[in-house]
Amino acid sequence: MIGAGYVGLVSAACFSEFGWKVTCIDKDPAKIDLLNKGHVPIYEPRLDELLERNLRMGRISFSTDLAKPVAEAELVFLAVGTPMRRGDGHADLSFVFQAVEDLAPHLKGFTVITTKSTVPVGTSREIEKRLRALRPDAEFAVCSNPEFLREGSAIYDFTHPDRVLVGCDDDRAREVMERLYKPLALRNAPVMFVSRESAELAKYAANAFLAMKISFINEVADLCEAVDADVQEVATAIGADGRIGNKFLHPGPGYGGSCFPKDVAALIRIAREARSPLSLIEQVQTVNSERKIAMAKRIEHAAGGSVAGKTVAVLGIAFKPDTDDIREAPSLIVVPMLQEKGAMVRGYDPHARENAEALLPGVVWCASALEAVEQADVVVVLTEWNEFRALSLESLRSRMRGDVLVDLRNVYEPQQASAAGFSYASIGR
Ligand code: NAD
């Protein structure tokens, strides 16, 4: 497994739990050192116990050196990052192609090379071409096996997938992939074999569709406010329709994270270059960018028109609960906007503080929600961590100087907030 990030580590841990022998490789020596000492560099529920058990059983190991593991491997996964390229929105494939160059000299015997990273259509073919040029003598096949896990429930998603998708044009490689996923197939997880291009595109199309659902309900929430409807009621009503489904119909401050923004941008580029633009998805991207800015304005409005000289407590910095990932989080737009408008921001997040500190200078970091709201004029819920649901609103209110609660995740009930003495603003109701 090349790449010990979210996807690489979780995949490696789960494959080793299935009983396979896995070596997880990363070019970052500090990360490998931590892992070898039994520490997990990211916060992901249950990942620590899984890694600890499989490390103890000798089924998983960590290294910066890929020579021996690649030579011995039947299957090499590429799980390196494919971030957004500066300027044009394309997926940056430099980490993928670097890994291909790194592994090529060590291929020995028939080896399946499989991308778990999200990569543009045609990347499997390009990897094959490059490997063929580097090692005309080697026996290998290149597959695509995009990953659909969600941060925060990654282990569950990996072991209970809606489907496992494999893009594969080679019979020998198919046999290896079938064997690898047999433990899931035996539990009735659908393992789907399609062409490599279909697999590559399906991953982007899935994320774009989910992003579209979020932008859709966000716009409907705005409309609800304008016409006195309640977005929770509307979402429940439309979600009951099996054709629509009730997931991803939660209005909020816009999608973020390490995947949706970059994958939407990359799909837009792929479609434009294929001269088959996805105008719907281009609009989703615009709606979502505007959404984050609109949320900062909404906070100002709730604060009486200005946050200048006011103290704003922000609860939740990660892009979603149960992760410490802050990539493209709405907080990275909203917090600096509030600071620019003269607010003093106090921040609390159960796990993301360490990642956020460098990116959000000027924030006063607190050890709990109750500490964050101390003497605040306004409190904003930006990420719906479960621990915020159980907070006593009376306790929050009593510690504050002001009485404004801006709930951008609809965690609380309006009556409950009013009863606690808050001037309450939420989304779409
Ligand atoms: P990440 O940034 O957390 O991890 C990538 C890791 O790869 C880093 O540790 C980096 O040091 C390592 N790396 C880079 N180049 C390397 C090389 N040449 N050799 C060895 N190690 C190298 O990334 P991630 O979030 O795990 O995402 C990986 C891929 O999976 C991306 O394409 C992403 O779009 C996709 N994906 C991510 C998620 C998610 O929820 N994070 C879900 C599905 C798919």
Side-chain angles (χ1 to χ4, degrees), residues 249-262:
L249 287 178
H250 305 290
Y255 61 77
S258 67
C259 291
F260 286 3
K262 82 168 172 65

Side-chain angles (χ1 to χ4, degrees), residues 6 41-43 151 317-318 323-327 332 349 351-360 365:
Y6 263 96
I42 53 172
Y43 174 72
E151 289 179 15
I317 300 290
T323 177
D324 60 358
D325 202 335
I326 57 157
R327 291 178 276 187
L332 300 183
D349 189 283
H351 287 279
R353 172 178 172 173
E354 208 181 310
N355 288 337
E357 264 172 339
L359 292 175
L360 292 175
W365 293 100

Side-chain angles (χ1 to χ4, degrees), residues 2-8 25-28 31 79-82 95 98-99 102 116-118 147-151 203 258-259 262-263 325 327:
I2 303 186
Y6 263 96
V7 166
I25 289 151
D26 205 285
K27 61 175 187 185
D28 178 350
K31 204 175 254 192
V80 298
T82 49
F95 298 107
Q98 184 59 53
D102 295 346
K116 263 230 171 285
S117 305
T118 303
E147 183 49 58
F148 295 94
L149 62 78
R150 295 163 299 175
E151 289 179 15
K203 171 63 193 176
S258 67
C259 291
K262 82 168 172 65
D263 291 349
D325 202 335
R327 291 178 276 187

Side-chain angles (χ1 to χ4, degrees), residues 63-249:
S63 176
T64 51
D65 180 12
L66 47 63
K68 191 159 170 273
V70 166
E72 288 175 354
E74 244 182 303
L75 184 57
V76 178
F77 272 105
L78 302 176
V80 298
T82 49
M84 202 188 303
R85 198 161 74 186
R86 248 170 227 221
D88 63 5
H90 256 304
D92 176 356
L93 292 177
S94 56
F95 298 107
V96 172
F97 293 141
Q98 184 59 53
V100 167
E101 267 183 40
D102 295 346
L103 72 87
H106 309 292
L107 288 175
K108 202 170 156 197
F110 178 68
T111 314
V112 181
I113 320 292
T114 298
T115 45
K116 263 230 171 285
S117 305
T118 303
V119 292
V121 185
T123 304
S124 298
R125 246 173 234 291
E126 178 62 24
I127 291 173
E128 190 173 293
K129 203 172 100 196
R130 289 181 183 221
L131 273 178
R132 189 59 65 215
L134 289 164
R135 285 290 306 275
D137 59 311
E139 268 192 283
F140 65 87
V142 179
C143 295
S144 162
N145 175 213
E147 183 49 58
F148 295 94
L149 62 78
R150 295 163 299 175
E151 289 179 15
S153 52
I155 307 281
Y156 181 86
D157 291 347
F158 196 95
T159 49
H160 300 78
D162 291 334
R163 75 313 210 177
V164 172
L165 186 62
V166 184
C168 181
D169 297 347
D170 180 285
D171 287 344
R172 272 207 290 179
R174 179 176 173 139
E175 185 278 321
V176 173
M177 295 302 289
E178 271 173 345
R179 192 150 37 87
L180 173 76
Y181 280 113
K182 196 155 182 204
L184 290 181
L186 287 173
R187 292 197 338 223
N188 294 327
V191 181
M192 300 174 181
F193 283 85
V194 298
S195 77
R196 295 184 295 185
E197 286 73 16
S198 297
E200 289 165 342
L201 183 56
K203 171 63 193 176
Y204 281 110
N207 274 357
F209 191 89
L210 294 171
M212 182 173 72
K213 244 180 141 178
I214 294 173
S215 288
F216 174 80
I217 202 65
N218 282 340
E219 286 207 311
V220 169
D222 287 348
L223 179 58
C224 284
E225 288 169 22
V227 300
D228 270 341
D230 180 328
V231 72
Q232 305 295 135
E233 292 176 353
V234 174
T236 307
I238 63 175
D241 186 327
R243 292 168 302 177
I244 296 173
N246 57 11
K247 307 234 173 81
F248 275 73
L249 287 178

